[in-house]
Amino acid sequence: VPLDLADGPARQGSLRRHNLGLVLRELAAGPCTRADLARRTGLTKATISGFVETLASAGFVEQAPGGPVARGAPGRPANPVRLGPGAPVALGVEIGVDFLSACVVAPTGEVLARHRHARDHRKGEPQGRLAQAVAEAVALVAALRGRVGRLGRVAGVGVAVPGVVGPEGRVRSAPNLPGWNGLDVRAELARHLGPFGDGRAPAGPVAGRDRFVVEVGNEADLGALGELWYGDHSGLRDFALVSAEVGVGAGIVVGGRLFSGATGAAGELGHLTIDPDGPLCGCGSRGCLERYAGQEALLKGAGVHDVAGLRDAADRGEPRALAVLSRAGSGLGVASAALVNLVDVPALVLGGIYAELAPYLVPALSAELRVRAVRHLWDPVRLLVADLGPEAAMRGAAGVVLQRALSDPATHFPEVAG
Amino acid sequence: VPLDLADGPARQGSLRRHNLGLVLRELAAGPCTRADLARRTGLTKATISGFVETLASAGFVEQAPGGPVARGAPGRPANPVRLGPGAPVALGVEIGVDFLSACVVAPTGEVLARHRHARDHRKGEPQGRLAQAVAEAVALVAALRGRVGRLGRVAGVGVAVPGVVGPEGRVRSAPNLPGWNGLDVRAELARHLGPFGDGRAPAGPVAGRDRFVVEVGNEADLGALGELWYGDHSGLRDFALVSAEVGVGAGIVVGGRLFSGATGAAGELGHLTIDPDGPLCGCGSRGCLERYAGQEALLKGAGVHDVAGLRDAADRGEPRALAVLSRAGSGLGVASAALVNLVDVPALVLGGIYAELAPYLVPALSAELRVRAVRHLWDPVRLLVADLGPEAAMRGAAGVVLQRALSDPATHFPEVAG
């Protein structure tokens, strides 16, 4: 019987909360008048005015500068409002295989502060290494937070990790971080987040915070959301971010939403079989994509030490570098065709190190796609290059936090509960 | 900025419609008391009583036989209600590559009438062939409808076709029905559906019908929904139906919902590359799964004429049949591992001809999955055999119609609009 009881009963009480979230998310897109808000949300002007008053008295919104502005049409001049100094910001972190990065993001998506440094997370005892990474990340976001002039509330923190993460925030599989399987990133965050996350109201910039959002996710998934929300791919709502740092992964966006499968593990592209009889892989299988197009395979194959060196060698026309990149492009093409055929995305965005290497990967990649992607028959696959480069995952992580907090501000910020 | 304007504003007016749908879908699961309904939907008993009265006066529900039944707990005896003779039924059709089948399905999922016969839809001029198939299907469901004793309203008709279908009901790609690309199945249905679908109130069993639901979809997708809703896989909410008739395809269900990708073309498993240098395929690529595990490859490889013959040969231990099935199982394993890695489903259901051949496919299939599916590290993939056999797609098609009509009865049946 086609029952779907995921939908609970709708009740009057949830309407205000839902509608307040609509208004706040509209304001995150930029300054606008009450009339704009009414038109865009479908709510009455009276409702909008009430919401704006609530949000203004909590510091979430303020009058846009310049005072009343005459509208194009005749009538009273409109008073545009915009997000104010008390509007919530979000913290984004990426714990990479060999780096740590963090940022503070305004609800408009603007990056207010950012930092990245090299740090090899493969070395040492895993639990201690995670604890150290989290402690360092928390200190880093606290410092960045201090550097931000406009001090609003902190909605929460989002953390991207290079592995599959369960809904409870525990690492389920991280092939490139030996020993991390089973580690609980969320619990480790909770241990270190005191000043931000414990529900108390410490002095200073986080006073007034109540329900602190903590999100932990896979870096390819969060990178795809970063590109969706903050990249400059106008109107792109269906795509996969195909990206590599040390590992290779895909983040899948369908209809403007992340698709992460039954347990959050979708898009595991790096261990897709390219050739069943191909070279052995560390995962125990044969002919995995990472053996053709992972960072290590590329650098080793070309005899260079880093990605910049590989790009230089290719730019100089060195045959060994060009051959390795062409082989990687073909492998990526076979794997991407599988992705396109199984998940049905009309566009691929090349991210991570593939963004920099794209000119040398795309010819072989698109040749394979043309032959192997069934949808090429009626609609060729678009190939794009990522906009946010190495920032995609941490910005996506912050974006997820903002989305949760802004969609339901009354729950996360009791001062606007009304 | 993480805006999601797909959600419109919630309004008081939509609550009743939504909640009426909840109640009707609960009733589709079996007889229950008003108290059961209140508990399961979270609505008040007064609201439930009002809804039951509305539904009863339209003939949708009736007193369950046997009169008032004492509840286990003390208090007034409860009066269970159930779906009545006026409750809507749905029509399901499958236009196969080489057959036509149809059924009438009650809102409980019970098949009230069914029929299937051989018909080769590859022959003749495509548009004329489609017109003939649709005319025949409509005549068939009308006849089946006449054979059903309990004559309720007809909610609509769902049609499964062996190809990718756009949301507008047009065939986008049907590799095994040459010339069908671009044919408009929905328009053809509208031409022939007069007595069911034209909005008028013809005499007899469909009187009172207003908004007739017409659904056209891919057979693998609808087959997966059939298995989800009507198969006996207790609690299975995440899986892919991997099935073959003439072609090979997958229907993907995640969280109890169909995942069909950006344009409805997800699960195109038949043309997944098994070996980049493998044999040429009719699609223009090389090494596609259909060349290893499609019906034609299996029968030709084993030198037999039909699937029953193949199964017999395998049962007799003929080496040629066993070799072909083992090779097909390996290919299915490589392709299924890609499906598991990219879409993240914890279970595979073997359908169509694979259901019958499963004992000979599974050994090689699961050997490949063990090595190539990354999630095997923490959670081995479950392999199941389909329950509904060749009926899955037409029953799924009828189920989609029921789900749409029952979720929003007030829109589809003005007599309960209240």
Side-chain angles (χ1 to χ4, degrees), chain A residues 373-388:
Chain A
V374 175
R375 66 174 298 130
H376 248 292
L377 292 171
W378 69 90
D379 187 13
V381 179
R382 289 172 65 199
L383 280 179
L384 303 163
V385 173
D387 271 335
L388 309 186

Side-chain angles (χ1 to χ4, degrees), chain A residues 3 11-12 25 42 263 344, chain B residues 3 11-12 25 42 263 344:
Chain A
L3 286 183
R11 285 210 192 77
Q12 181 64 28
R25 286 187 292 165
T263 64
D344 180 22
Chain B
L3 286 182
R11 286 211 193 74
Q12 182 62 29
R25 287 186 292 163
T263 64
D344 180 23

Side-chain angles (χ1 to χ4, degrees), chain A residues 1 3-4 8-12 18 25 41-42 108 172 229 257 262-263 265 267-268 276 286 341-342 344 372 378, chain B residues 1 3-4 8-9 11-12 18 25 41-42 108 172 229 257 262-263 265 267-268 276 286 341-342 344 372 378:
Chain A
V1 183
L3 286 183
D4 190 346
R11 285 210 192 77
Q12 181 64 28
H18 173 84
R25 286 187 292 165
T41 62
T108 55
R172 200 169 273 162
W229 290 328
R257 288 171 187 273
T263 64
E268 187 53 80
R286 275 190 178 280
N341 287 343
L342 293 178
D344 180 22
R372 302 188 189 276
W378 69 90
Chain B
V1 184
L3 286 182
D4 190 345
R11 286 211 193 74
Q12 182 62 29
H18 173 84
R25 287 186 292 163
T41 63
T108 54
R172 199 170 272 165
W229 290 329
R257 288 170 186 274
T263 64
E268 187 55 80
R286 275 191 178 279
N341 287 342
L342 293 178
D344 180 23
R372 301 187 190 277
W378 69 89

Side-chain angles (χ1 to χ4, degrees), chain B residues 14-230:
Chain B
S14 58
L15 294 185
R16 181 183 181 281
R17 266 175 43 186
H18 173 84
N19 292 337
L20 182 62
L22 287 184
V23 170
L24 195 52
R25 287 186 292 163
E26 274 297 333
L27 282 163
C32 47
T33 65
R34 289 166 180 79
D36 292 337
L37 289 170
R39 190 168 36 75
R40 292 189 204 154
T41 63
L43 298 166
T44 67
K45 287 192 198 169
T47 305
I48 295 291
S49 290
F51 284 160
V52 168
E53 202 175 307
T54 303
L55 292 170
S57 69
F60 280 48
V61 307
E62 62 179 12
Q63 208 65 34
V69 180
R71 283 179 302 189
R76 280 198 307 139
N79 291 301
V81 290
R82 64 171 189 186
L83 292 176
V89 300
L91 311 171
V93 168
E94 180 171 4
I95 300 174
V97 172
D98 54 6
F99 65 89
L100 182 71
S101 65
C103 61
V104 179
V105 177
T108 54
E110 189 193 350
V111 177
L112 303 172
R114 50 165 59 87
H115 182 82
R116 176 181 172 120
H117 59 242
R119 193 68 89 232
D120 197 329
H121 293 113
R122 288 168 290 202
K123 291 178 181 152
E125 182 272 317
Q127 180 72 54
R129 168 51 64 191
L130 170 64
Q132 211 171 323
V134 167
E136 193 177 5
V138 168
L140 183 55
V141 288
L144 290 176
R145 188 78 194 66
R147 289 213 323 247
V148 172
R150 208 184 66 184
L151 291 176
R153 291 160 183 85
V154 178
V157 62
V159 179
V161 298
V164 176
V165 181
E168 75 296 346
R170 197 182 279 275
V171 176
R172 199 170 272 165
S173 143
N176 294 305
L177 287 177
W180 281 49
N181 291 9
L183 294 190
D184 190 335
V185 180
R186 181 187 290 275
E188 201 57 47
L189 273 163
R191 283 215 309 131
H192 288 87
L193 269 174
F196 295 106
D198 66 359
R200 284 175 296 129
V206 293
R209 280 291 313 106
D210 183 35
R211 303 209 190 162
F212 194 87
V213 178
V214 176
E215 292 279 354
V216 184
N218 170 262
E219 45 94 12
D221 287 350
L222 294 171
L225 288 175
E227 290 289 334
L228 172 71
W229 290 329
Y230 308 120

Side-chain angles (χ1 to χ4, degrees), chain B residues 148-398:
Chain B
V148 172
R150 208 184 66 184
L151 291 176
R153 291 160 183 85
V154 178
V157 62
V159 179
V161 298
V164 176
V165 181
E168 75 296 346
R170 197 182 279 275
V171 176
R172 199 170 272 165
S173 143
N176 294 305
L177 287 177
W180 281 49
N181 291 9
L183 294 190
D184 190 335
V185 180
R186 181 187 290 275
E188 201 57 47
L189 273 163
R191 283 215 309 131
H192 288 87
L193 269 174
F196 295 106
D198 66 359
R200 284 175 296 129
V206 293
R209 280 291 313 106
D210 183 35
R211 303 209 190 162
F212 194 87
V213 178
V214 176
E215 292 279 354
V216 184
N218 170 262
E219 45 94 12
D221 287 350
L222 294 171
L225 288 175
E227 290 289 334
L228 172 71
W229 290 329
Y230 308 120
D232 190 18
H233 314 288
S234 61
L236 191 67
R237 306 269 295 168
D238 301 288
F239 66 93
L241 175 72
V242 172
S243 93
E245 304 277 351
V246 172
V248 179
I252 299 160
V253 172
V254 173
R257 288 170 186 274
L258 183 69
F259 174 77
S260 63
T263 64
E268 187 55 80
L269 196 72
H271 298 281
L272 207 84
T273 302
I274 300 308
D275 175 356
D277 302 317
L280 260 175
C281 177
C283 77
S285 180
R286 275 191 178 279
C288 293
L289 176 63
E290 276 189 18
R291 292 302 312 270
Y292 302 80
Q295 185 173 294
E296 200 188 331
L298 288 171
L299 301 185
K300 229 174 176 174
V304 295
H305 292 295
D306 56 25
V307 175
L310 178 56
R311 172 71 201 237
D312 283 348
D315 287 346
R316 287 195 309 271
E318 283 195 12
R320 191 171 160 194
L322 294 176
V324 159
L325 286 166
S326 169
R327 182 163 171 265
S330 292
L332 269 175
V334 172
S336 299
L339 185 63
V340 167
N341 287 342
L342 293 178
V343 177
D344 180 23
V345 281
L348 299 172
V349 178
L350 299 176
I353 67 171
Y354 295 153
E356 199 171 343
L357 301 170
Y360 299 101
L361 296 169
V362 164
L365 200 176
S366 52
E368 294 292 342
L369 272 179
R370 262 196 303 277
V371 173
R372 301 187 190 277
V374 174
R375 68 172 297 129
H376 247 291
L377 292 171
W378 69 89
D379 187 15
V381 178
R382 289 173 64 198
L383 281 179
L384 303 163
V385 173
D387 270 336
L388 309 186
E391 293 195 343
M394 73 177 181
R395 289 176 66 180

Side-chain angles (χ1 to χ4, degrees), chain A:
Chain A
V1 183
L3 286 183
D4 190 346
L5 300 177
D7 323 352
R11 285 210 192 77
Q12 181 64 28
S14 58
L15 293 185
R16 181 184 180 282
R17 267 174 44 185
H18 173 84
N19 292 337
L20 183 63
L22 287 184
V23 169
L24 195 53
R25 286 187 292 165
E26 275 296 333
L27 282 163
C32 47
T33 66
R34 289 165 179 80
D36 292 337
L37 289 170
R39 189 168 37 74
R40 293 189 203 153
T41 62
L43 298 166
T44 68
K45 286 191 200 169
T47 304
I48 295 292
S49 290
F51 284 160
V52 168
E53 202 175 308
T54 303
L55 292 170
S57 68
F60 279 48
V61 307
E62 62 179 11
Q63 208 65 34
V69 180
R71 284 179 303 191
R76 279 199 306 139
N79 290 303
V81 289
R82 65 171 187 185
L83 292 176
V89 301
L91 310 171
V93 168
E94 181 171 3
I95 299 174
V97 174
D98 54 5
F99 65 89
L100 181 71
S101 65
C103 60
V104 179
V105 177
T108 55
E110 190 193 350
V111 178
L112 302 172
R114 50 165 62 85
H115 183 82
R116 178 182 171 117
H117 58 243
R119 194 67 89 232
D120 197 329
H121 294 112
R122 286 168 291 199
K123 293 176 180 153
E125 183 272 316
Q127 180 72 55
R129 168 50 65 191
L130 169 65
Q132 210 172 323
V134 166
E136 192 176 5
V138 168
L140 184 55
V141 290
L144 290 175
R145 189 74 195 68
R147 291 214 323 249
V148 172
R150 210 183 65 184
L151 293 177
R153 290 161 183 83
V154 178
V157 61
V159 180
V161 296
V164 176
V165 182
E168 75 297 346
R170 198 182 278 277
V171 176
R172 200 169 273 162
S173 141
N176 294 305
L177 287 177
W180 282 49
N181 291 9
L183 293 191
D184 190 335
V185 181
R186 180 185 292 274
E188 202 56 49
L189 273 162
R191 284 215 309 130
H192 288 87
L193 268 175
F196 296 106
D198 66 359
R200 284 176 296 128
V206 295
R209 280 294 312 106
D210 184 34
R211 303 212 189 161
F212 195 87
V213 179
V214 176
E215 292 279 356
V216 184
N218 171 263
E219 46 93 13
D221 287 351
L222 293 170
L225 289 175
E227 290 289 333
L228 171 72
W229 290 328
Y230 308 120
D232 191 19
H233 314 288
S234 59
L236 191 67
R237 305 269 295 168
D238 301 288
F239 66 94
L241 176 71
V242 172
S243 95
E245 305 276 352
V246 171
V248 178
I252 299 162
V253 172
V254 173
R257 288 171 187 273
L258 183 69
F259 173 76
S260 61
T263 64
E268 187 53 80
L269 195 72
H271 298 281
L272 208 84
T273 302
I274 301 307
D275 176 355
D277 303 317
L280 259 175
C281 178
C283 77
S285 181
R286 275 190 178 280
C288 294
L289 176 62
E290 277 189 17
R291 293 302 314 268
Y292 302 81
Q295 185 174 293
E296 199 189 330
L298 289 171
L299 301 184
K300 229 174 176 174
V304 294
H305 293 296
D306 56 24
V307 175
L310 178 55
R311 174 70 202 239
D312 282 348
D315 286 346
R316 286 194 310 271
E318 282 194 14
R320 191 170 160 196
L322 294 175
V324 160
L325 286 165
S326 168
R327 182 162 170 266
S330 293
L332 270 174
V334 172
S336 299
L339 186 62
V340 167
N341 287 343
L342 293 178
V343 176
D344 180 22
V345 282
L348 299 173
V349 178
L350 299 177
I353 68 171
Y354 294 153
E356 200 172 342
L357 301 170
Y360 300 101
L361 296 169
V362 165
L365 200 174
S366 53
E368 295 292 342
L369 272 178
R370 261 195 303 279
V371 173
R372 302 188 189 276
V374 175
R375 66 174 298 130
H376 248 292
L377 292 171
W378 69 90
D379 187 13
V381 179
R382 289 172 65 199
L383 280 179
L384 303 163
V385 173
D387 271 335
L388 309 186
E391 293 196 342
M394 72 176 180
R395 289 176 68 180
V400 169
V401 170
L402 286 168
Q403 182 159 66
R404 262 185 65 187
L406 299 187
S407 305
D408 190 1
T411 292
H412 293 285
F413 308 102
E415 58 271 41
V416 298

